[in-house]
Each structure stands twice: as C-alpha cells, then as structure tokens.
Amino acid sequence: MSTLPQPNLTREQGSDDSVPRQDEAQLKSWFIGSIDQGTTSTRFLIFDGTGNPVASHQIEFKQIWMEHDPIEIYDSVVKCIEEATKAFTGLGHSVSDIRAIGISTQRETTVLWDSVTGEILHNAIAWPDTRTQALVRELKKQPDADKLQDICGLPLSTYPSALKLTWMFKNLDKVQKTYEEGRLVFGTIDSWLLFNLNGKHNNVHVTDVTNASRTMFVNLHALDYDQTVLKFFNIDTKRMKLPKIVPSSDPHAFGQLDSGPLKGIRITGCLGDQSAALVGQLGFAPGQAKNTYGTGCFLLYNVGEKPVISQHGLLGTVAYHFGGSRKPVYALEGSIAVAGSAVKFLQHNFGFIEASHHISDLAATVEDNGGCVFVTAFSGLFAPYWIDDAKGTIFGITQHTEKGHVARATMEATCFQTKAILDAMEKDSGRKLTQLAVDGGMSNSDLCMQTQADITGIPVDRPIMRETTSLGAAIAAGFAVDAWKEFEELKEINRKDRTFFRPQISAEDRTKMYRRWERAVEMSKGWLREEDHA
C-alpha cells in the first residue's frame, strides 16, 4: 500500500510570442458548428475562429444494455442543433456566420438498415458489447485469422464493427433475410447520421477514414475495403452496401443539413471521436499523444504518415486525413473499455456517490487505496491485454475497507491501464512519451490526473477548455472551407492556462504499485470457461 500525495498543479501559458497572432476580432466574427455524438450523450457546440465555444446544448439518451436506438440518437442530434442555435442567435449572432459543420461520433457502434424502406433492422450494437466473445474464439480458429491485424491494424476481438455485424447475421433473421435480398445497408454512427441529416431521399452513404478504419474491413495501408478481410467474414458487397470512404475533411462529400435552423449549411468534417480529440489537442506531430477519459479511455499516439502494426497489443488506426495534397496520418491506439463507466457503476449500482463528479471528493476521504485494487473488466480487458474472459474483480478488501478506498481504486484502474498502454507504445515506437495531453470527464478530477502522473512518471497536460473532441471536428470542418489552411495557424487555439500535473512519488513506489496491479490482472482472468458458453 502506497500513499499518493495531493495534486501538484502548475499553470503555464502555452502561447509563443514569436508567432504572429491573427486578428482576434476577425476570428471571433465567424463560427463553425460541431456535432459530438458519444456513447451516452449528444452535444452540439458552436465555436468561434479562436476555438472558443459560444453556444452549446447536450442531451443524454437511453442506454439499452449495450445497444442504442438509432432513431433516438438522430433525434438527439436534431434537438441539440435546434437548442444550441437558439442560444447562438440569442447572443445576437446570425446563422449566416456559421461557415460549416463538423461531426464526431462514437466509432465501432454498428447500425443496419434496409436500403429500400429505410427501416432500422435492429438497435445499434454499441462498441463495448461483448456478446461476440464465443464468435471471436470461433473465428480465431479459422485459417489466416492471425494475418488480419497486419492488414487492418485491429486484432480479432469483440471491439470492431465486423464482429457485431457477423453476430447480427448469425442471430437476427430479419438481418439475414434483408442481406439475402440484397437490401442490407451497413454503417457506423457517422454514416447513419449523415444519411439522415442529408435527408434520406438524397441517399448520402459515406464514412470518413478514421471511422472506416475501426470496422476491420479496411486495409490500413490502402485505406479501402480489403477483399481478403471481407471474404474472411463472408461478406458479399453485392448483397450489402458499405459506405463510401472519404477523407476526414472534405468540402462536398458529407453533404449538407436538409432541415432545421441550419438548413443548407455544409457538413465538411467528420472524425471518429478519439481522432477528433487528438486533432482538438493539436496532436499533429509524430510523437504527440492524448488520452481521453470518457465512458472508456482512449490513448492515441501520432506515428506519422505510415501505419504501424503493433507487436505489443495496441491498435493501428487512422488518426486523420485532411484531404487535398495532405497525406493521411496514422496512430497507435490503446483502448480501455471501462473508465468513466466504472464511476457510473459506483454511482448507480452501489450508490456510493450522487453524481459522477463527486468521485474525487469520496476518494479524498482516505489517504490511499487501503490495499484495494479494482480490475474494472466489465467488458473483459482491452489494450494491451485483450483478455475477453476477465471480469470485474476487487482484490484486497478487508473489514477496514471504506467507500473511499474503492473510489480511489476505481480511478487508479484507468491510470494503471494507461500506464500499460504507454509501456506498449514505447516498445512499438521506440520512443518514450515526455508529456500526455488529457481530456474527457475524469480529467476534471485533479486527484485522478495527479494519480495518472504519479503512476506513469510522465507529466500530464490538461487544457482549460476540455471540449477537445468537438473542437477537433470543428477544425476538420474548418480546413475544408479554408477557415484554416495550415496547422501553424492553430498554434494559439486552447493553449493558454493549461494545467500541468507532475509526478511526485518515487520510481520505487511507482514500480511497487504497478506490480500489484499486474498481479490483480493475472488473477482476474478465466472467469468465463468454455462450458459457461455451452
């Protein structure tokens, strides 16, 4: 048991006075809208040219046990646009000052609909869903299964869209029938929303490269659907329509809003949410990384213009592609299935806290974790472990264990998994990260971010404006309409008054804590046996 010290905060100015500043008044005279469709809620924000949000609206939508109602998601987007626009015009601004709209979405979540009737064939199956565990084990036995990751960057796991689609083929008669009749349409949340926002009659069916790279159908090197992978999953593209793959920033490919207060405004940027956060953190140079603490936790590390296929349990993915003469940029990713959702678990299932932001206050009631280690494997363990038979397990409980100890152990679980991912990234890239940019709900906790710095031994850099996912989508949209033309022009955005958390514990204590975590991970394995699936 080690005691973590209290947060050591410093605030630093991020601007460089040697870089010529743009006319701030002019930057504040035009705007870009940003749809941010996440796992538990939808937001619409309107940013000015300096990257500051001037209006927003957020709606939480119903969780249906690892499924979402696609119509409810679309309706939440429409409502958010209406309410944020009302707030925007209420400030005296004009809709005509909004130059474009960007969109970021949860990624692997899978939607199927009928190309003729437009009927949704099943609820969207969300990215953390694990009902495909038995299917994954079955597919891993097929010839050439071990070669798939070299093609698409993703391992066979419950995570990618391909497994969710295959499960629906095998288990839903309506899906199978629609496929046999050649009327099945596949999409992730971005393509579903774009299809509806453009008006179904316009039949816009596209996805950007970042979302496409999460399906497992795409060759990471060619950035197009791969016939070897499609054949592996027994997919006939004559019977099922896949969305057209386009760059993340494009003046025309994503269409325009067909209705509502912003009717006619073009959608010119589209990114998967984690790529959007990397863009929003201005992670444009190889070696830069960000960690987003949302429902899950996702660490993206920019590796430059050539994909890297991980040898240490990470994912190869597309970071972003801003089109034109620019080349696509790739990333290594570490995905943690459970982060903020573990805090929600303590709130809703155990009643430890009334609201998720109270987790820090509860954790601060004790000096340390009291010997507790919580492996939050509610959906198995993702990167870099890929253990699908692990289950959530708390070790070290005694008669002296208090709620505060469990709260600390819950936050530490995400921090330990982030350390495991950073270690894997160092092995894959040959480069040690010197600083970690953070955002997302759990990053609001000073205690959690200090714990992260202590456990990794790396300074943590937190912006004052943490809507980086929405900002990234707005930046992608802005590049397509020449709001910005070079990354250099973004240097000032969200750089001021960032908070830095610096490591405070010894390397010996850090190592001791991490070894205990590794033991706990080993002991959490094997809860699901073959006979449990019979």
Side-chain angles (χ1 to χ4, degrees), residues 87-260:
F88 177 71
T89 54
L91 294 170
H93 301 299
S94 171
V95 165
S96 62
D97 293 329
I98 299 176
R99 298 174 66 167
I101 293 171
I103 179 171
S104 70
T105 59
Q106 53 175 309
R107 296 174 297 175
E108 298 78 7
T109 299
T110 304
V111 191
L112 301 178
W113 66 96
D114 188 311
S115 64
V116 176
T117 65
E119 177 192 3
I120 294 291
L121 300 176
H122 190 70
N123 282 332
I125 296 186
W127 60 267
D129 186 86
T130 59
R131 74 189 76 179
T132 57
Q133 286 176 340
L135 178 61
V136 170
R137 284 191 288 273
E138 179 185 323
L139 289 173
K140 281 182 177 180
K141 297 173 184 176
Q142 288 190 190
D144 297 329
D146 58 341
K147 297 178 181 177
L148 294 181
Q149 187 167 359
D150 291 337
I151 298 171
C152 61
L154 308 178
L156 268 173
S157 72
T158 61
Y159 192 22
S161 309
L163 280 299
K164 295 164 177 53
L165 173 62
T166 304
W167 183 91
M168 286 194 267
F169 274 151
K170 289 178 175 288
N171 293 276
L172 303 174
D173 292 340
K174 185 183 289 187
V175 169
Q176 199 171 57
K177 182 175 185 293
T178 308
Y179 175 72
E180 294 297 334
E181 293 174 356
R183 296 184 287 113
L184 186 64
V185 184
F186 163 87
T188 41
I189 293 295
D190 62 317
S191 49
W192 163 249
L193 288 179
L194 289 166
F195 173 68
N196 285 277
L197 290 169
N198 277 276
K200 295 180 180 180
H201 56 281
N202 286 312
N203 202 27
V204 173
H205 190 217
V206 297
T207 186
D208 96 294
V209 288
T210 66
N211 282 289
S213 71
R214 313 303 296 190
T215 62
M216 208 171 181
F217 297 140
V218 172
N219 186 306
L220 200 59
H221 309 269
L223 295 185
D224 202 356
Y225 295 111
D226 189 275
Q227 293 304 313
T228 299
V229 179
L230 293 173
K231 184 178 179 181
F232 180 88
F233 287 105
N234 294 315
I235 290 172
D236 182 352
T237 53
K238 293 178 181 178
R239 296 184 176 185
M240 185 180 75
K241 187 179 179 184
L242 296 168
K244 179 183 178 182
I245 301 171
V246 300
S248 313
S249 180
D250 190 284
H252 304 295
F254 304 114
Q256 63 185 32
L257 294 187
D258 187 60
S259 61

Side-chain angles (χ1 to χ4, degrees), residues 10-17 21 435 461-462 464 491-492 494-500 502:
T10 58
R11 300 191 186 278
E12 299 185 10
Q13 297 290 329
S15 59
D16 181 352
D17 293 336
R21 295 178 63 86
Q435 190 167 288
D461 169 14
R462 185 180 69 188
I464 194 166
K491 226 173 182 181
E492 299 293 329
N494 209 20
R495 295 292 99 186
K496 292 182 180 179
D497 298 324
R498 296 175 76 93
T499 303
F500 289 76
R502 305 186 188 284

Side-chain angles (χ1 to χ4, degrees), residues 172-489:
L172 303 174
D173 292 340
K174 185 183 289 187
V175 169
Q176 199 171 57
K177 182 175 185 293
T178 308
Y179 175 72
E180 294 297 334
E181 293 174 356
R183 296 184 287 113
L184 186 64
V185 184
F186 163 87
T188 41
I189 293 295
D190 62 317
S191 49
W192 163 249
L193 288 179
L194 289 166
F195 173 68
N196 285 277
L197 290 169
N198 277 276
K200 295 180 180 180
H201 56 281
N202 286 312
N203 202 27
V204 173
H205 190 217
V206 297
T207 186
D208 96 294
V209 288
T210 66
N211 282 289
S213 71
R214 313 303 296 190
T215 62
M216 208 171 181
F217 297 140
V218 172
N219 186 306
L220 200 59
H221 309 269
L223 295 185
D224 202 356
Y225 295 111
D226 189 275
Q227 293 304 313
T228 299
V229 179
L230 293 173
K231 184 178 179 181
F232 180 88
F233 287 105
N234 294 315
I235 290 172
D236 182 352
T237 53
K238 293 178 181 178
R239 296 184 176 185
M240 185 180 75
K241 187 179 179 184
L242 296 168
K244 179 183 178 182
I245 301 171
V246 300
S248 313
S249 180
D250 190 284
H252 304 295
F254 304 114
Q256 63 185 32
L257 294 187
D258 187 60
S259 61
L262 302 185
K263 181 178 179 179
I265 296 180
R266 284 183 291 162
I267 304 168
T268 60
C270 180
L271 289 160
D273 52 7
Q274 304 311 319
S275 287
L278 181 66
V279 170
Q281 290 276 18
L282 309 186
F284 299 128
Q288 291 183 302
K290 71 86 200 173
N291 203 20
T292 297
Y293 301 77
T295 301
C297 187
F298 304 89
L299 200 158
L300 260 67
Y301 179 99
N302 185 324
V303 297
E305 295 175 353
K306 293 184 179 179
V308 173
I309 305 300
S310 176
Q311 303 301 311
H312 298 93
L314 303 178
L315 310 178
T317 194
V318 182
Y320 54 86
H321 183 198
F322 280 4
S325 60
R326 300 180 184 91
K327 294 182 179 179
V329 173
Y330 294 88
L332 281 170
E333 176 173 341
S335 306
I336 299 169
V338 175
S341 54
V343 178
K344 291 284 189 184
F345 170 79
L346 295 188
Q347 177 189 351
H348 296 304
N349 296 43
F350 285 178
F352 278 17
I353 48 179
E354 291 185 0
S356 56
H357 63 271
H358 292 160
I359 186 72
S360 283
D361 295 337
L362 179 57
T365 61
V366 293
E367 292 185 356
D368 52 43
N369 61 26
C372 282
V373 179
F374 188 1
V375 182
T376 52
F378 302 158
S379 299
L381 287 171
F382 282 14
Y385 309 105
W386 300 109
I387 306 170
D388 65 3
D389 63 357
K391 284 294 180 186
T393 319
I394 303 178
F395 298 96
I397 292 177
T398 71
Q399 70 231 41
H400 303 294
T401 301
E402 300 176 14
K403 291 179 180 179
H405 296 129
V406 178
R408 280 217 179 218
T410 301
M411 291 196 300
E412 288 172 3
T414 300
C415 299
F416 281 126
Q417 289 176 82
T418 297
K419 155 114 174 115
I421 288 168
L422 287 171
D423 288 350
M425 284 185 174
E426 184 179 348
K427 293 173 185 174
D428 275 328
S429 67
R431 186 185 305 179
K432 184 177 178 65
L433 198 68
T434 58
Q435 190 167 288
L436 181 63
V438 299
D439 51 65
M442 288 177 72
S443 73
N444 294 324
S445 165
D446 290 349
L447 179 58
C448 186
M449 293 301 96
Q450 184 61 54
T451 300
Q452 186 67 87
D454 290 333
I455 285 173
T456 61
I458 297 171
V460 169
D461 169 14
R462 185 180 69 188
I464 194 166
M465 196 288 289
R466 292 191 273 284
E467 299 288 0
T468 52
T469 301
S470 301
L471 177 59
I475 288 172
F479 264 89
V481 295
D482 291 333
W484 302 284
K485 296 181 180 180
E486 302 295 337
F487 293 138
E488 185 74 13
E489 297 173 44

